[in-house]
Amino acid sequence: MTKKVAIELPEWLTATDRLRLYTPEEVIEMKLLPHTVGTLKDAAYRKRVPCTKIAGKIRFKLEHIYAIQLAGEVDPATRGRRAA
């Protein structure tokens, strides 16, 4: 299951920008994430990435896209270290 991450979107985004839902095809076509449509859909169906399901169809808000990007970040300062 995915870990809930608090995402703060830029203040200049309009309400329409914040509420817009993107299809997996749009996310990939716009190059917002470096995956294939199939990989993104599979991860969403398996609940590995945040998404919204409406009538069984997967959609992504900007918050979801930011959260997916942040989940892939690596901090070189902590790489290879284990939590105490």
mmCIF file of all heavy atoms in Angstrom, residues 16-66:
data_model
loop_
_atom_site.group_PDB
_atom_site.id
_atom_site.type_symbol
_atom_site.label_atom_id
_atom_site.label_comp_id
_atom_site.label_asym_id
_atom_site.label_seq_id
_atom_site.Cartn_x
_atom_site.Cartn_y
_atom_site.Cartn_z
ATOM 1 N N THR A 16 -9.419 25.126 -10.810
ATOM 2 C CA THR A 16 -9.581 24.213 -11.941
ATOM 3 C C THR A 16 -8.342 23.336 -12.111
ATOM 4 O O THR A 16 -8.455 22.131 -12.335
ATOM 5 C CB THR A 16 -9.851 25.000 -13.245
ATOM 6 O OG1 THR A 16 -11.009 25.809 -13.045
ATOM 7 C CG2 THR A 16 -10.070 24.074 -14.420
ATOM 8 N N ASP A 17 -7.149 23.937 -11.983
ATOM 9 C CA ASP A 17 -5.901 23.178 -12.085
ATOM 10 C C ASP A 17 -5.819 22.123 -10.985
ATOM 11 O O ASP A 17 -5.403 20.996 -11.216
ATOM 12 C CB ASP A 17 -4.679 24.096 -11.957
ATOM 13 C CG ASP A 17 -4.529 25.075 -13.104
ATOM 14 O OD1 ASP A 17 -4.976 24.741 -14.219
ATOM 15 O OD2 ASP A 17 -3.967 26.157 -12.872
ATOM 16 N N ARG A 18 -6.212 22.502 -9.786
ATOM 17 C CA ARG A 18 -6.114 21.606 -8.632
ATOM 18 C C ARG A 18 -7.100 20.441 -8.713
ATOM 19 O O ARG A 18 -6.828 19.359 -8.219
ATOM 20 C CB ARG A 18 -6.362 22.377 -7.336
ATOM 21 C CG ARG A 18 -5.281 23.369 -7.013
ATOM 22 C CD ARG A 18 -5.675 24.260 -5.849
ATOM 23 N NE ARG A 18 -4.711 25.316 -5.661
ATOM 24 C CZ ARG A 18 -3.625 25.208 -4.903
ATOM 25 N NH1 ARG A 18 -3.373 24.104 -4.254
ATOM 26 N NH2 ARG A 18 -2.795 26.221 -4.796
ATOM 27 N N LEU A 19 -8.247 20.681 -9.320
ATOM 28 C CA LEU A 19 -9.291 19.654 -9.365
ATOM 29 C C LEU A 19 -9.312 18.845 -10.655
ATOM 30 O O LEU A 19 -10.006 17.837 -10.734
ATOM 31 C CB LEU A 19 -10.666 20.314 -9.167
ATOM 32 C CG LEU A 19 -10.880 20.945 -7.803
ATOM 33 C CD1 LEU A 19 -12.210 21.679 -7.769
ATOM 34 C CD2 LEU A 19 -10.815 19.903 -6.703
ATOM 35 N N ARG A 20 -8.558 19.268 -11.653
ATOM 36 C CA ARG A 20 -8.566 18.565 -12.934
ATOM 37 C C ARG A 20 -8.081 17.136 -12.760
ATOM 38 O O ARG A 20 -7.135 16.877 -12.023
ATOM 39 C CB ARG A 20 -7.668 19.268 -13.942
ATOM 40 C CG ARG A 20 -7.686 18.559 -15.288
ATOM 41 C CD ARG A 20 -7.042 19.390 -16.369
ATOM 42 N NE ARG A 20 -7.289 18.776 -17.654
ATOM 43 C CZ ARG A 20 -6.392 18.045 -18.313
ATOM 44 N NH1 ARG A 20 -5.193 17.879 -17.827
ATOM 45 N NH2 ARG A 20 -6.694 17.507 -19.482
ATOM 46 N N LEU A 21 -8.743 16.232 -13.437
ATOM 47 C CA LEU A 21 -8.354 14.826 -13.403
ATOM 48 C C LEU A 21 -7.759 14.440 -14.755
ATOM 49 O O LEU A 21 -8.322 14.744 -15.804
ATOM 50 C CB LEU A 21 -9.569 13.947 -13.101
ATOM 51 C CG LEU A 21 -10.196 14.157 -11.730
ATOM 52 C CD1 LEU A 21 -11.484 13.356 -11.621
ATOM 53 C CD2 LEU A 21 -9.233 13.784 -10.633
ATOM 54 N N TYR A 22 -6.614 13.777 -14.711
ATOM 55 C CA TYR A 22 -5.905 13.352 -15.912
ATOM 56 C C TYR A 22 -6.050 11.851 -16.092
ATOM 57 O O TYR A 22 -5.944 11.089 -15.130
ATOM 58 C CB TYR A 22 -4.409 13.668 -15.796
ATOM 59 C CG TYR A 22 -4.093 15.138 -15.682
ATOM 60 C CD1 TYR A 22 -4.073 15.768 -14.433
ATOM 61 C CD2 TYR A 22 -3.810 15.898 -16.803
ATOM 62 C CE1 TYR A 22 -3.777 17.120 -14.317
ATOM 63 C CE2 TYR A 22 -3.518 17.253 -16.698
ATOM 64 C CZ TYR A 22 -3.505 17.854 -15.452
ATOM 65 O OH TYR A 22 -3.223 19.184 -15.342
ATOM 66 N N THR A 23 -6.238 11.417 -17.326
ATOM 67 C CA THR A 23 -6.241 9.987 -17.615
ATOM 68 C C THR A 23 -4.787 9.511 -17.615
ATOM 69 O O THR A 23 -3.865 10.318 -17.794
ATOM 70 C CB THR A 23 -6.861 9.695 -18.997
ATOM 71 O OG1 THR A 23 -6.022 10.268 -20.001
ATOM 72 C CG2 THR A 23 -8.279 10.216 -19.103
ATOM 73 N N PRO A 24 -4.562 8.211 -17.438
ATOM 74 C CA PRO A 24 -3.182 7.710 -17.521
ATOM 75 C C PRO A 24 -2.531 8.060 -18.861
ATOM 76 O O PRO A 24 -1.348 8.390 -18.917
ATOM 77 C CB PRO A 24 -3.338 6.198 -17.358
ATOM 78 C CG PRO A 24 -4.600 6.041 -16.576
ATOM 79 C CD PRO A 24 -5.498 7.151 -17.044
ATOM 80 N N GLU A 25 -3.318 8.037 -19.923
ATOM 81 C CA GLU A 25 -2.793 8.373 -21.249
ATOM 82 C C GLU A 25 -2.324 9.826 -21.306
ATOM 83 O O GLU A 25 -1.266 10.118 -21.885
ATOM 84 C CB GLU A 25 -3.865 8.114 -22.327
ATOM 85 C CG GLU A 25 -4.203 6.649 -22.537
ATOM 86 C CD GLU A 25 -5.151 6.055 -21.502
ATOM 87 O OE1 GLU A 25 -5.733 6.813 -20.702
ATOM 88 O OE2 GLU A 25 -5.296 4.815 -21.489
ATOM 89 N N GLU A 26 -3.089 10.732 -20.705
ATOM 90 C CA GLU A 26 -2.701 12.146 -20.681
ATOM 91 C C GLU A 26 -1.432 12.355 -19.865
ATOM 92 O O GLU A 26 -0.552 13.126 -20.259
ATOM 93 C CB GLU A 26 -3.823 13.006 -20.092
ATOM 94 C CG GLU A 26 -5.028 13.158 -20.988
ATOM 95 C CD GLU A 26 -6.163 13.895 -20.319
ATOM 96 O OE1 GLU A 26 -6.425 13.671 -19.116
ATOM 97 O OE2 GLU A 26 -6.788 14.721 -21.015
ATOM 98 N N VAL A 27 -1.335 11.672 -18.734
ATOM 99 C CA VAL A 27 -0.152 11.808 -17.872
ATOM 100 C C VAL A 27 1.103 11.411 -18.648
ATOM 101 O O VAL A 27 2.119 12.112 -18.612
ATOM 102 C CB VAL A 27 -0.292 10.945 -16.597
ATOM 103 C CG1 VAL A 27 1.005 10.923 -15.806
ATOM 104 C CG2 VAL A 27 -1.432 11.458 -15.737
ATOM 105 N N ILE A 28 1.037 10.318 -19.374
ATOM 106 C CA ILE A 28 2.201 9.843 -20.130
ATOM 107 C C ILE A 28 2.450 10.705 -21.363
ATOM 108 O O ILE A 28 3.586 11.062 -21.662
ATOM 109 C CB ILE A 28 2.016 8.353 -20.523
ATOM 110 C CG1 ILE A 28 1.826 7.489 -19.269
ATOM 111 C CG2 ILE A 28 3.191 7.869 -21.363
ATOM 112 C CD1 ILE A 28 2.884 7.660 -18.188
ATOM 113 N N GLU A 29 1.384 11.081 -22.068
ATOM 114 C CA GLU A 29 1.524 11.912 -23.264
ATOM 115 C C GLU A 29 2.160 13.260 -22.930
ATOM 116 O O GLU A 29 2.972 13.782 -23.689
ATOM 117 C CB GLU A 29 0.143 12.134 -23.892
ATOM 118 C CG GLU A 29 0.173 12.927 -25.179
ATOM 119 C CD GLU A 29 -1.223 13.107 -25.754
ATOM 120 O OE1 GLU A 29 -1.935 12.109 -25.881
ATOM 121 O OE2 GLU A 29 -1.578 14.263 -26.055
ATOM 122 N N MET A 30 1.806 13.821 -21.777
ATOM 123 C CA MET A 30 2.354 15.107 -21.349
ATOM 124 C C MET A 30 3.725 14.952 -20.694
ATOM 125 O O MET A 30 4.326 15.940 -20.271
ATOM 126 C CB MET A 30 1.383 15.774 -20.372
ATOM 127 C CG MET A 30 0.062 16.151 -21.014
ATOM 128 S SD MET A 30 -1.197 16.653 -19.812
ATOM 129 C CE MET A 30 -0.533 18.229 -19.314
ATOM 130 N N LYS A 31 4.205 13.710 -20.598
ATOM 131 C CA LYS A 31 5.517 13.385 -20.013
ATOM 132 C C LYS A 31 5.632 13.870 -18.562
ATOM 133 O O LYS A 31 6.683 14.332 -18.134
ATOM 134 C CB LYS A 31 6.647 13.936 -20.867
ATOM 135 C CG LYS A 31 6.635 13.356 -22.257
ATOM 136 C CD LYS A 31 7.786 13.844 -23.075
ATOM 137 C CE LYS A 31 7.562 13.379 -24.472
ATOM 138 N NZ LYS A 31 8.485 12.724 -25.170
ATOM 139 N N LEU A 32 4.522 13.734 -17.819
ATOM 140 C CA LEU A 32 4.538 14.113 -16.415
ATOM 141 C C LEU A 32 5.190 13.031 -15.555
ATOM 142 O O LEU A 32 5.695 13.313 -14.478
ATOM 143 C CB LEU A 32 3.110 14.388 -15.923
ATOM 144 C CG LEU A 32 2.398 15.542 -16.628
ATOM 145 C CD1 LEU A 32 0.959 15.646 -16.160
ATOM 146 C CD2 LEU A 32 3.149 16.852 -16.393
ATOM 147 N N LEU A 33 5.156 11.789 -16.029
ATOM 148 C CA LEU A 33 5.816 10.673 -15.357
ATOM 149 C C LEU A 33 6.524 9.815 -16.405
ATOM 150 O O LEU A 33 6.018 9.638 -17.505
ATOM 151 C CB LEU A 33 4.798 9.814 -14.593
ATOM 152 C CG LEU A 33 4.110 10.468 -13.402
ATOM 153 C CD1 LEU A 33 2.991 9.575 -12.892
ATOM 154 C CD2 LEU A 33 5.102 10.773 -12.297
ATOM 155 N N PRO A 34 7.686 9.262 -16.057
ATOM 156 C CA PRO A 34 8.467 8.481 -17.031
ATOM 157 C C PRO A 34 8.090 6.995 -17.058
ATOM 158 O O PRO A 34 8.930 6.125 -16.858
ATOM 159 C CB PRO A 34 9.900 8.666 -16.530
ATOM 160 C CG PRO A 34 9.732 8.723 -15.048
ATOM 161 C CD PRO A 34 8.436 9.465 -14.825
ATOM 162 N N HIS A 35 6.833 6.706 -17.263
ATOM 163 C CA HIS A 35 6.364 5.327 -17.295
ATOM 164 C C HIS A 35 5.610 5.086 -18.589
ATOM 165 O O HIS A 35 5.385 6.002 -19.366
ATOM 166 C CB HIS A 35 5.416 5.052 -16.104
ATOM 167 C CG HIS A 35 6.009 5.342 -14.772
ATOM 168 N ND1 HIS A 35 7.022 4.584 -14.233
ATOM 169 C CD2 HIS A 35 5.747 6.304 -13.867
ATOM 170 C CE1 HIS A 35 7.351 5.072 -13.053
ATOM 171 N NE2 HIS A 35 6.599 6.121 -12.814
ATOM 172 N N THR A 36 5.166 3.852 -18.779
ATOM 173 C CA THR A 36 4.258 3.567 -19.880
ATOM 174 C C THR A 36 2.840 3.621 -19.325
ATOM 175 O O THR A 36 2.634 3.537 -18.106
ATOM 176 C CB THR A 36 4.506 2.172 -20.482
ATOM 177 O OG1 THR A 36 4.209 1.185 -19.480
ATOM 178 C CG2 THR A 36 5.937 2.019 -20.980
ATOM 179 N N VAL A 37 1.877 3.737 -20.205
ATOM 180 C CA VAL A 37 0.480 3.777 -19.776
ATOM 181 C C VAL A 37 0.139 2.490 -19.020
ATOM 182 O O VAL A 37 -0.487 2.524 -17.965
ATOM 183 C CB VAL A 37 -0.463 3.978 -20.988
ATOM 184 C CG1 VAL A 37 -1.916 3.827 -20.573
ATOM 185 C CG2 VAL A 37 -0.226 5.330 -21.628
ATOM 186 N N GLY A 38 0.571 1.362 -19.545
ATOM 187 C CA GLY A 38 0.288 0.071 -18.910
ATOM 188 C C GLY A 38 0.873 -0.039 -17.515
ATOM 189 O O GLY A 38 0.219 -0.537 -16.593
ATOM 190 N N THR A 39 2.108 0.414 -17.352
ATOM 191 C CA THR A 39 2.758 0.367 -16.044
ATOM 192 C C THR A 39 2.024 1.252 -15.044
ATOM 193 O O THR A 39 1.795 0.855 -13.899
ATOM 194 C CB THR A 39 4.230 0.829 -16.160
ATOM 195 O OG1 THR A 39 4.904 -0.032 -17.063
ATOM 196 C CG2 THR A 39 4.927 0.806 -14.820
ATOM 197 N N LEU A 40 1.628 2.434 -15.478
ATOM 198 C CA LEU A 40 0.924 3.363 -14.598
ATOM 199 C C LEU A 40 -0.442 2.805 -14.197
ATOM 200 O O LEU A 40 -0.823 2.838 -13.026
ATOM 201 C CB LEU A 40 0.775 4.717 -15.287
ATOM 202 C CG LEU A 40 0.253 5.865 -14.444
ATOM 203 C CD1 LEU A 40 1.118 6.085 -13.203
ATOM 204 C CD2 LEU A 40 0.195 7.130 -15.271
ATOM 205 N N LYS A 41 -1.169 2.258 -15.157
ATOM 206 C CA LYS A 41 -2.473 1.662 -14.859
ATOM 207 C C LYS A 41 -2.328 0.476 -13.904
ATOM 208 O O LYS A 41 -3.100 0.335 -12.953
ATOM 209 C CB LYS A 41 -3.160 1.192 -16.147
ATOM 210 C CG LYS A 41 -3.756 2.292 -16.966
ATOM 211 C CD LYS A 41 -4.441 1.682 -18.178
ATOM 212 C CE LYS A 41 -5.132 2.716 -19.019
ATOM 213 N NZ LYS A 41 -5.802 2.103 -20.186
ATOM 214 N N ASP A 42 -1.348 -0.378 -14.169
ATOM 215 C CA ASP A 42 -1.122 -1.551 -13.327
ATOM 216 C C ASP A 42 -0.808 -1.130 -11.890
ATOM 217 O O ASP A 42 -1.366 -1.689 -10.934
ATOM 218 C CB ASP A 42 0.021 -2.396 -13.894
ATOM 219 C CG ASP A 42 0.231 -3.674 -13.111
ATOM 220 O OD1 ASP A 42 -0.727 -4.460 -12.991
ATOM 221 O OD2 ASP A 42 1.354 -3.874 -12.605
ATOM 222 N N ALA A 43 0.060 -0.148 -11.722
ATOM 223 C CA ALA A 43 0.422 0.325 -10.384
ATOM 224 C C ALA A 43 -0.803 0.907 -9.672
ATOM 225 O O ALA A 43 -0.985 0.707 -8.469
ATOM 226 C CB ALA A 43 1.529 1.368 -10.473
ATOM 227 N N ALA A 44 -1.653 1.603 -10.399
ATOM 228 C CA ALA A 44 -2.854 2.183 -9.802
ATOM 229 C C ALA A 44 -3.842 1.091 -9.389
ATOM 230 O O ALA A 44 -4.386 1.127 -8.286
ATOM 231 C CB ALA A 44 -3.502 3.158 -10.779
ATOM 232 N N TYR A 45 -4.067 0.110 -10.261
ATOM 233 C CA TYR A 45 -4.990 -0.977 -9.932
ATOM 234 C C TYR A 45 -4.493 -1.794 -8.740
ATOM 235 O O TYR A 45 -5.275 -2.279 -7.943
ATOM 236 C CB TYR A 45 -5.212 -1.896 -11.135
ATOM 237 C CG TYR A 45 -6.180 -1.340 -12.143
ATOM 238 C CD1 TYR A 45 -5.792 -1.126 -13.459
ATOM 239 C CD2 TYR A 45 -7.494 -1.033 -11.793
ATOM 240 C CE1 TYR A 45 -6.676 -0.617 -14.392
ATOM 241 C CE2 TYR A 45 -8.389 -0.520 -12.722
ATOM 242 C CZ TYR A 45 -7.973 -0.321 -14.021
ATOM 243 O OH TYR A 45 -8.855 0.195 -14.931
ATOM 244 N N ARG A 46 -3.179 -1.920 -8.606
ATOM 245 C CA ARG A 46 -2.599 -2.673 -7.483
ATOM 246 C C ARG A 46 -2.422 -1.815 -6.225
ATOM 247 O O ARG A 46 -1.851 -2.252 -5.252
ATOM 248 C CB ARG A 46 -1.254 -3.262 -7.891
ATOM 249 C CG ARG A 46 -1.368 -4.327 -8.958
ATOM 250 C CD ARG A 46 0.013 -4.802 -9.380
ATOM 251 N NE ARG A 46 -0.058 -5.717 -10.484
ATOM 252 C CZ ARG A 46 -0.004 -7.032 -10.362
ATOM 253 N NH1 ARG A 46 0.136 -7.580 -9.180
ATOM 254 N NH2 ARG A 46 -0.080 -7.796 -11.424
ATOM 255 N N LYS A 47 -2.890 -0.572 -6.298
ATOM 256 C CA LYS A 47 -2.830 0.380 -5.188
ATOM 257 C C LYS A 47 -1.397 0.684 -4.740
ATOM 258 O O LYS A 47 -1.119 0.874 -3.570
ATOM 259 C CB LYS A 47 -3.671 -0.110 -4.009
ATOM 260 C CG LYS A 47 -5.130 -0.254 -4.371
ATOM 261 C CD LYS A 47 -5.936 -0.734 -3.199
ATOM 262 C CE LYS A 47 -7.395 -0.882 -3.647
ATOM 263 N NZ LYS A 47 -8.230 -1.395 -2.580
ATOM 264 N N ARG A 48 -0.497 0.749 -5.702
ATOM 265 C CA ARG A 48 0.902 1.082 -5.420
ATOM 266 C C ARG A 48 1.172 2.570 -5.585
ATOM 267 O O ARG A 48 2.197 3.067 -5.126
ATOM 268 C CB ARG A 48 1.827 0.277 -6.332
ATOM 269 C CG ARG A 48 1.790 -1.190 -6.035
ATOM 270 C CD ARG A 48 2.798 -1.945 -6.854
ATOM 271 N NE ARG A 48 2.731 -3.350 -6.527
ATOM 272 C CZ ARG A 48 3.134 -4.314 -7.310
ATOM 273 N NH1 ARG A 48 3.653 -4.014 -8.492
ATOM 274 N NH2 ARG A 48 3.043 -5.561 -6.936
ATOM 275 N N VAL A 49 0.279 3.266 -6.282
ATOM 276 C CA VAL A 49 0.406 4.715 -6.468
ATOM 277 C C VAL A 49 -0.939 5.360 -6.167
ATOM 278 O O VAL A 49 -1.992 4.740 -6.355
ATOM 279 C CB VAL A 49 0.868 5.087 -7.903
ATOM 280 C CG1 VAL A 49 2.266 4.566 -8.189
ATOM 281 C CG2 VAL A 49 -0.116 4.599 -8.936
ATOM 282 N N PRO A 50 -0.929 6.606 -5.692
ATOM 283 C CA PRO A 50 -2.199 7.282 -5.418
ATOM 284 C C PRO A 50 -2.932 7.625 -6.707
ATOM 285 O O PRO A 50 -2.309 7.959 -7.718
ATOM 286 C CB PRO A 50 -1.768 8.545 -4.675
ATOM 287 C CG PRO A 50 -0.347 8.757 -5.027
ATOM 288 C CD PRO A 50 0.228 7.422 -5.340
ATOM 289 N N CYS A 51 -4.247 7.491 -6.658
ATOM 290 C CA CYS A 51 -5.079 7.811 -7.818
ATOM 291 C C CYS A 51 -6.515 7.981 -7.350
ATOM 292 O O CYS A 51 -6.834 7.755 -6.183
ATOM 293 C CB CYS A 51 -4.988 6.727 -8.883
ATOM 294 S SG CYS A 51 -5.682 5.149 -8.355
ATOM 295 N N THR A 52 -7.372 8.361 -8.278
ATOM 296 C CA THR A 52 -8.807 8.451 -8.030
ATOM 297 C C THR A 52 -9.483 7.499 -8.998
ATOM 298 O O THR A 52 -9.106 7.440 -10.167
ATOM 299 C CB THR A 52 -9.306 9.892 -8.294
ATOM 300 O OG1 THR A 52 -8.657 10.766 -7.383
ATOM 301 C CG2 THR A 52 -10.803 10.004 -8.135
ATOM 302 N N LYS A 53 -10.456 6.748 -8.502
ATOM 303 C CA LYS A 53 -11.225 5.872 -9.383
ATOM 304 C C LYS A 53 -12.654 6.394 -9.444
ATOM 305 O O LYS A 53 -13.301 6.563 -8.422
ATOM 306 C CB LYS A 53 -11.218 4.440 -8.865
ATOM 307 C CG LYS A 53 -9.893 3.755 -9.037
ATOM 308 C CD LYS A 53 -9.970 2.308 -8.645
ATOM 309 C CE LYS A 53 -8.604 1.670 -8.746
ATOM 310 N NZ LYS A 53 -8.619 0.285 -8.271
ATOM 311 N N ILE A 54 -13.095 6.656 -10.660
ATOM 312 C CA ILE A 54 -14.461 7.114 -10.897
ATOM 313 C C ILE A 54 -15.105 6.146 -11.875
ATOM 314 O O ILE A 54 -14.620 5.996 -13.002
ATOM 315 C CB ILE A 54 -14.475 8.550 -11.460
ATOM 316 C CG1 ILE A 54 -13.844 9.493 -10.443
ATOM 317 C CG2 ILE A 54 -15.894 8.974 -11.803
ATOM 318 C CD1 ILE A 54 -13.689 10.898 -10.919
ATOM 319 N N ALA A 55 -16.142 5.484 -11.416
ATOM 320 C CA ALA A 55 -16.840 4.481 -12.238
ATOM 321 C C ALA A 55 -15.861 3.440 -12.771
ATOM 322 O O ALA A 55 -15.947 3.017 -13.917
ATOM 323 C CB ALA A 55 -17.605 5.159 -13.370
ATOM 324 N N GLY A 56 -14.889 3.059 -11.942
ATOM 325 C CA GLY A 56 -13.920 2.038 -12.324
ATOM 326 C C GLY A 56 -12.790 2.525 -13.211
ATOM 327 O O GLY A 56 -11.919 1.754 -13.586
ATOM 328 N N LYS A 57 -12.791 3.798 -13.559
ATOM 329 C CA LYS A 57 -11.732 4.358 -14.407
ATOM 330 C C LYS A 57 -10.731 5.118 -13.547
ATOM 331 O O LYS A 57 -11.102 5.846 -12.628
ATOM 332 C CB LYS A 57 -12.338 5.283 -15.452
ATOM 333 C CG LYS A 57 -13.351 4.560 -16.321
ATOM 334 C CD LYS A 57 -13.527 5.243 -17.619
ATOM 335 C CE LYS A 57 -14.645 4.563 -18.367
ATOM 336 N NZ LYS A 57 -14.256 3.808 -19.456
ATOM 337 N N ILE A 58 -9.461 4.961 -13.869
ATOM 338 C CA ILE A 58 -8.388 5.586 -13.108
ATOM 339 C C ILE A 58 -8.142 6.995 -13.610
ATOM 340 O O ILE A 58 -8.040 7.234 -14.814
ATOM 341 C CB ILE A 58 -7.096 4.761 -13.235
ATOM 342 C CG1 ILE A 58 -7.299 3.406 -12.592
ATOM 343 C CG2 ILE A 58 -5.914 5.490 -12.634
ATOM 344 C CD1 ILE A 58 -6.165 2.461 -12.831
ATOM 345 N N ARG A 59 -8.012 7.917 -12.653
ATOM 346 C CA ARG A 59 -7.682 9.302 -12.958
ATOM 347 C C ARG A 59 -6.662 9.786 -11.948
ATOM 348 O O ARG A 59 -6.578 9.287 -10.830
ATOM 349 C CB ARG A 59 -8.930 10.198 -12.883
ATOM 350 C CG ARG A 59 -10.025 9.819 -13.865
ATOM 351 C CD ARG A 59 -9.592 10.085 -15.302
ATOM 352 N NE ARG A 59 -10.644 9.801 -16.254
ATOM 353 C CZ ARG A 59 -10.718 8.691 -16.957
ATOM 354 N NH1 ARG A 59 -9.813 7.747 -16.807
ATOM 355 N NH2 ARG A 59 -11.696 8.506 -17.826
ATOM 356 N N PHE A 60 -5.876 10.787 -12.348
ATOM 357 C CA PHE A 60 -4.836 11.342 -11.485
ATOM 358 C C PHE A 60 -5.007 12.843 -11.336
ATOM 359 O O PHE A 60 -5.217 13.542 -12.321
ATOM 360 C CB PHE A 60 -3.447 11.059 -12.072
ATOM 361 C CG PHE A 60 -3.124 9.605 -12.153
ATOM 362 C CD1 PHE A 60 -3.402 8.886 -13.295
ATOM 363 C CD2 PHE A 60 -2.549 8.956 -11.078
ATOM 364 C CE1 PHE A 60 -3.109 7.536 -13.375
ATOM 365 C CE2 PHE A 60 -2.256 7.605 -11.146
ATOM 366 C CZ PHE A 60 -2.542 6.897 -12.296
ATOM 367 N N LYS A 61 -4.926 13.334 -10.091
ATOM 368 C CA LYS A 61 -4.876 14.767 -9.824
ATOM 369 C C LYS A 61 -3.401 15.163 -9.794
ATOM 370 O O LYS A 61 -2.511 14.304 -9.689
ATOM 371 C CB LYS A 61 -5.505 15.087 -8.465
ATOM 372 C CG LYS A 61 -6.981 14.820 -8.402
ATOM 373 C CD LYS A 61 -7.616 15.335 -7.118
ATOM 374 C CE LYS A 61 -7.076 14.620 -5.904
ATOM 375 N NZ LYS A 61 -7.719 15.020 -4.647
ATOM 376 N N LEU A 62 -3.135 16.460 -9.862
ATOM 377 C CA LEU A 62 -1.749 16.917 -9.776
ATOM 378 C C LEU A 62 -1.095 16.444 -8.476
ATOM 379 O O LEU A 62 0.079 16.087 -8.459
ATOM 380 C CB LEU A 62 -1.669 18.439 -9.883
ATOM 381 C CG LEU A 62 -1.854 19.017 -11.274
ATOM 382 C CD1 LEU A 62 -1.812 20.541 -11.225
ATOM 383 C CD2 LEU A 62 -0.802 18.498 -12.230
ATOM 384 N N GLU A 63 -1.866 16.412 -7.387
ATOM 385 C CA GLU A 63 -1.344 15.919 -6.108
ATOM 386 C C GLU A 63 -0.819 14.499 -6.238
ATOM 387 O O GLU A 63 0.216 14.163 -5.675
ATOM 388 C CB GLU A 63 -2.440 15.932 -5.038
ATOM 389 C CG GLU A 63 -2.798 17.283 -4.521
ATOM 390 C CD GLU A 63 -3.905 17.193 -3.478
ATOM 391 O OE1 GLU A 63 -3.977 16.182 -2.755
ATOM 392 O OE2 GLU A 63 -4.684 18.137 -3.406
ATOM 393 N N HIS A 64 -1.556 13.670 -6.957
ATOM 394 C CA HIS A 64 -1.139 12.285 -7.148
ATOM 395 C C HIS A 64 0.172 12.211 -7.928
ATOM 396 O O HIS A 64 1.077 11.449 -7.583
ATOM 397 C CB HIS A 64 -2.214 11.495 -7.908
ATOM 398 C CG HIS A 64 -3.515 11.410 -7.197
ATOM 399 N ND1 HIS A 64 -4.711 11.467 -7.863
ATOM 400 C CD2 HIS A 64 -3.833 11.278 -5.886
ATOM 401 C CE1 HIS A 64 -5.709 11.367 -6.999
ATOM 402 N NE2 HIS A 64 -5.189 11.250 -5.773
ATOM 403 N N ILE A 65 0.256 13.027 -8.977
ATOM 404 C CA ILE A 65 1.450 13.013 -9.829
ATOM 405 C C ILE A 65 2.672 13.467 -9.029
ATOM 406 O O ILE A 65 3.730 12.848 -9.093
ATOM 407 C CB ILE A 65 1.221 13.868 -11.088
ATOM 408 C CG1 ILE A 65 0.098 13.235 -11.926
ATOM 409 C CG2 ILE A 65 2.502 14.014 -11.899
ATOM 410 C CD1 ILE A 65 -0.476 14.128 -12.994
ATOM 411 N N TYR A 66 2.510 14.532 -8.232
ATOM 412 C CA TYR A 66 3.612 14.999 -7.375
ATOM 413 C C TYR A 66 4.015 13.910 -6.380
ATOM 414 O O TYR A 66 5.203 13.677 -6.143
ATOM 415 C CB TYR A 66 3.214 16.263 -6.602
ATOM 416 C CG TYR A 66 3.315 17.548 -7.383
ATOM 417 C CD1 TYR A 66 2.196 18.342 -7.599
ATOM 418 C CD2 TYR A 66 4.529 17.986 -7.890
ATOM 419 C CE1 TYR A 66 2.287 19.533 -8.297
ATOM 420 C CE2 TYR A 66 4.625 19.170 -8.589
ATOM 421 C CZ TYR A 66 3.503 19.943 -8.796
ATOM 422 O OH TYR A 66 3.592 21.118 -9.492
#
